[in-house]
Amino acid sequence: MFVDRLLATLVHLRHGATYDVLTCWFGVDRSTITRAVGEVRTLLAARGCTVGPDVRLRSLAEVVDHLGATGKAGIIDGTEIRVRRRAARRKDRDTFISGKNKQNAVKSMVVTDEDGRVLFCSPTKPGSCADITHARQLGLVRLLADGPAVEILADAGYQDLGAQTGGRVVTPPHCKFKKNAPDWYEEMYERQRKAHSSRRIRVEHGIAHLKNWRALARHLGRREHMSDTVQAIASLLSHQRSRT
């Protein structure tokens, strides 16, 4: 039954139950569990994020249009998920090493609204890919430059996107004084940074809800399944919040 296949997938993603454990619980072959989780995970990933009874967002372009129609600001940030180290014989082994955390990881860009509701999780990239590079590859610059007037809050890792999008990507202010800054400037600088951080913190809350799922705390499966996994969990979380 589809309900059993869905339940097995949810238990696997939420609690990290192995296929062998699920095989015992449901009384089926391991190949049946493997096939069920793979199929349901793909269906959930393609479902998109539900933000209303009749509103479902499946792409970054739809997210930008939705923010423009509602007049709300969006918040973006990158999140890393630890993965297994690649075999020593692989030439591309170092591409998954994150320069930030010095560990093997894949990276996804998360978009939330001002309330911390997850609107979009991108397909994953190797951990060595910079946040701003990932955003450009997803077409965020083009969508903001050619689309509706939308304010996007981001951290310092996206500094150059502000100029490329006509100021639609808002990042923390630059520190103009490297040495001997006047007291009045330090106070103003800290006040502006805190004001920006207090608005941007919602995306951290959204990412924290994603990381509560065991499959994203540390992924031990195949890397090619990570994109479907993170998008499937985002779909489930958004649907849960839309009902509350």
Side-chain angles (χ1 to χ4, degrees), residues 3-225:
V3 174
D4 292 336
R5 298 166 66 195
L6 177 61
L7 180 59
T9 304
L10 294 178
V11 173
H12 172 68
L13 296 177
R14 183 67 178 87
H15 301 287
T18 64
Y19 290 169
D20 292 333
V21 171
L22 294 175
T23 296
C24 295
W25 283 356
F26 289 91
V28 295
D29 293 335
R30 193 178 191 278
S31 59
T32 302
I33 293 294
T34 302
R35 182 171 59 255
V37 172
E39 293 175 351
V40 174
R41 180 175 50 203
T42 302
L43 290 174
L44 292 173
R47 187 174 182 273
C49 293
T50 304
V51 296
D54 300 317
V55 182
R56 188 175 295 172
L57 308 176
R58 295 183 176 87
S59 66
L60 188 58
E62 293 179 354
V63 172
V64 173
D65 291 339
H66 170 73
L67 292 173
T70 57
K72 294 184 178 180
I75 314 173
I76 62 173
D77 198 8
T79 183
E80 294 183 350
I81 304 162
R82 292 185 62 186
V83 295
R84 290 175 175 173
R85 191 177 186 183
R86 307 207 83 174
R89 64 181 181 274
R90 296 294 297 268
K91 295 181 180 180
D92 56 351
R93 189 185 192 191
D94 293 340
T95 61
F96 285 89
I97 299 179
S98 167
K100 178 180 180 180
N101 295 321
K102 310 302 181 184
Q103 62 186 13
N104 289 268
V106 294
K107 179 176 295 185
S108 178
M109 190 182 80
V110 180
V111 184
T112 69
D113 58 15
E114 297 170 333
D115 300 323
R117 183 196 302 272
V118 176
L119 304 179
F120 176 76
C121 280
S122 72
T124 56
K125 287 285 186 177
S128 60
C129 181
D131 289 348
I132 190 171
T133 302
H134 193 189
R136 287 169 176 158
Q137 292 175 351
L138 291 171
L140 181 62
V141 174
R142 176 182 55 81
L143 292 173
L144 293 177
D146 300 337
V150 176
E151 181 184 39
I152 301 293
L153 304 177
D155 61 16
Y158 299 89
Q159 287 281 8
D160 292 342
L161 292 187
Q164 297 175 359
T165 59
R168 294 184 179 180
V169 176
V170 182
T171 55
H174 290 280
C175 184
K176 297 181 179 180
F177 292 89
K178 299 299 181 182
K179 296 181 180 179
N180 302 321
D183 292 340
W184 63 267
Y185 179 80
E186 289 187 350
E187 293 178 1
M188 180 187 69
Y189 177 72
E190 289 299 323
R191 185 169 61 251
Q192 291 176 346
R193 285 187 64 87
K194 288 182 179 179
H196 182 272
S197 297
S198 64
R199 296 184 63 195
R200 201 191 66 82
I201 193 63
R202 298 298 184 183
V203 71
E204 304 291 351
H205 297 164
I207 291 175
H209 287 304
L210 290 171
K211 292 298 183 68
N212 282 335
W213 289 64
R214 189 67 177 272
L216 299 186
R218 182 177 181 181
H219 185 69
L220 301 177
R222 295 177 178 269
R223 293 177 187 84
E224 55 266 29
H225 296 162

